Amino acid sequence: MKKSIVLFFAIILLVHSYESVLAREAANISKISDMKQAMDEQGIIVKKWSLYTKGSVGFTSNLKGYRQKAALLKNAAKGYKWNTMNMQEHLKITGVRISQAGSIKERLTLVGYPQKGKLATYLVYAVEGKGWNKNQFQHFARSFQSRVATYFEGKTSTFSCITGVHSGTMDVGLYKQALELMTTFSAVPVEELKEETFVSISAYTKHWDEKINTAHKAMNLQIAIRNQGMGGQTAVTIGTPIITSEY
C-alpha cells in the first residue's frame, strides 16, 4: 500500500515537472515571436533566429555511466546524425538533424568532464532557423517544448535570439533605432555601448520573467545594431536574456 502511494505521488511530480517545462518553453518560443513582431514594425527583414537551451544532466561515476546517458539521449532523439569526440579532459558527442525544408538545424551536444572524482555532464540543445517562414516556425514550436522536456532531466536555461537587416536608408540614427526597439518591449536601459557604426543596449523588461544580474542591475534583453558601411545594410540583433550569436 505504501509503495503504491509513493508511486502515485512520484507520477504526479513527474507530470507536474513535465507540464512546467512545457509552459516555460512555450514562453521562450513566444519571445521569438515578440522579437519578430518588433522587427516587422521597424521594417527589418529577419534573416535568422535561434534558441539555445543548456542544462545539467547530473553526475556519473565513470565512462560507462556517461555512455549510458549518451545511449538514452540517442534513443530519445530520433533522426540525428551523431559524432563522438574524446578530448583530453572531457567527453563529447554531438548529434545534428536538419529539417526536410533545410531551413531549421537542430544540434544536441552532451559533454562530460571530471569533477570531484566523478563525471559531471551537461547537455546543450541549439536550434538555428534561416529566414522566417511562419508555418514552419509554428510547426517547430509545437515540438520544441516537448523535446526540451524529453531531453533534459532538470532545470534549464534558454536563450532566444533573432537577427535581421534593414536594407533601406534608416530614417534615424543607430542609437535612436535601438531605443525605439527597446521601447517596443517596454524595457528600461541598464547598460549601453555607442560607437559610430555600432550600438548595443542591455535592458530590462517586466514582460519576461527570466533575467540575469550584471554588475549594475538585472537585465533580460539585448539589442545590437551595426551599420555595414556606405550603401550597405544595417544588421539588427535582438536577444534574451543576452545575445548568444555574433553580430
Side-chain angles (χ1 to χ4, degrees), residues 192-242:
E192 58 185 42
L193 171 66
K194 291 190 289 184
E195 297 178 354
E196 185 176 353
T197 60
F198 176 74
V199 167
S200 174
I201 295 181
S202 299
Y204 176 76
T205 173
K206 293 181 179 179
H207 291 328
W208 298 335
D209 294 332
E210 291 81 4
K211 62 183 179 181
I212 61 174
N213 293 316
T214 69
H216 302 284
K217 297 179 180 178
M219 61 164 286
N220 57 6
L221 171 68
Q222 271 194 320
I223 298 169
I225 303 180
R226 183 183 296 278
N227 188 307
Q228 299 179 334
M230 184 67 68
Q233 296 177 327
T234 301
V236 181
T237 302
I238 307 174
T240 177
I242 59 173

Side-chain angles (χ1 to χ4, degrees), residues 20-242:
S20 297
V21 172
L22 291 181
R24 183 175 67 245
E25 297 312 323
N28 286 321
I29 282 288
S30 70
K31 292 172 186 174
I32 291 285
S33 298
D34 291 345
M35 291 186 279
K36 167 65 166 58
Q37 182 177 347
M39 286 193 168
D40 287 345
E41 293 174 0
Q42 298 291 330
I44 301 166
I45 302 171
V46 173
K47 290 297 184 180
K48 61 181 180 180
W49 56 268
S50 64
L51 289 158
Y52 180 95
T53 303
K54 179 179 178 180
S56 171
V57 197
F59 287 86
T60 183
S61 58
N62 50 35
L63 178 60
K64 182 179 179 180
Y66 172 83
R67 288 175 175 168
Q68 289 175 341
K69 287 181 179 290
L72 288 172
L73 177 63
K74 290 179 180 179
N75 186 60
K78 303 296 185 181
Y80 284 77
K81 293 184 178 180
W82 296 91
N83 289 315
T84 302
M85 184 178 297
N86 295 324
M87 312 295 288
Q88 289 184 347
E89 296 184 357
H90 64 269
L91 308 166
K92 183 171 76 171
I93 64 164
T94 298
V96 175
R97 177 170 62 187
I98 299 175
S99 66
Q100 291 183 347
S103 58
I104 298 177
K105 181 178 181 180
E106 299 171 81
R107 179 183 289 106
L108 279 167
T109 304
L110 178 66
V111 177
Y113 58 96
Q115 185 177 17
K116 298 180 180 179
K118 294 184 178 182
L119 278 175
T121 58
Y122 69 87
L123 179 65
V124 174
Y125 177 39
V127 184
E128 299 176 355
K130 296 179 182 178
W132 186 265
N133 182 301
K134 183 178 179 180
N135 292 333
Q136 289 179 4
F137 179 79
Q138 290 178 340
H139 180 267
F140 170 78
R142 289 191 289 269
S143 58
F144 174 78
Q145 302 161 40
S146 60
R147 287 172 187 172
V148 171
T150 300
Y151 300 156
F152 293 89
E153 298 177 3
K155 186 178 180 181
T156 60
S157 298
T158 297
F159 298 80
S160 308
C161 191
I162 190 167
T163 298
V165 295
H166 198 297
S167 57
T169 302
M170 296 180 66
D171 296 328
V172 297
L174 299 184
Y175 182 65
K176 189 172 181 180
Q177 175 85 16
L179 288 179
E180 289 180 357
L181 282 169
M182 186 186 69
T183 303
T184 303
F185 300 96
S186 300
V188 293
V190 176
E191 296 177 343
E192 58 185 42
L193 171 66
K194 291 190 289 184
E195 297 178 354
E196 185 176 353
T197 60
F198 176 74
V199 167
S200 174
I201 295 181
S202 299
Y204 176 76
T205 173
K206 293 181 179 179
H207 291 328
W208 298 335
D209 294 332
E210 291 81 4
K211 62 183 179 181
I212 61 174
N213 293 316
T214 69
H216 302 284
K217 297 179 180 178
M219 61 164 286
N220 57 6
L221 171 68
Q222 271 194 320
I223 298 169
I225 303 180
R226 183 183 296 278
N227 188 307
Q228 299 179 334
M230 184 67 68
Q233 296 177 327
T234 301
V236 181
T237 302
I238 307 174
T240 177
I242 59 173

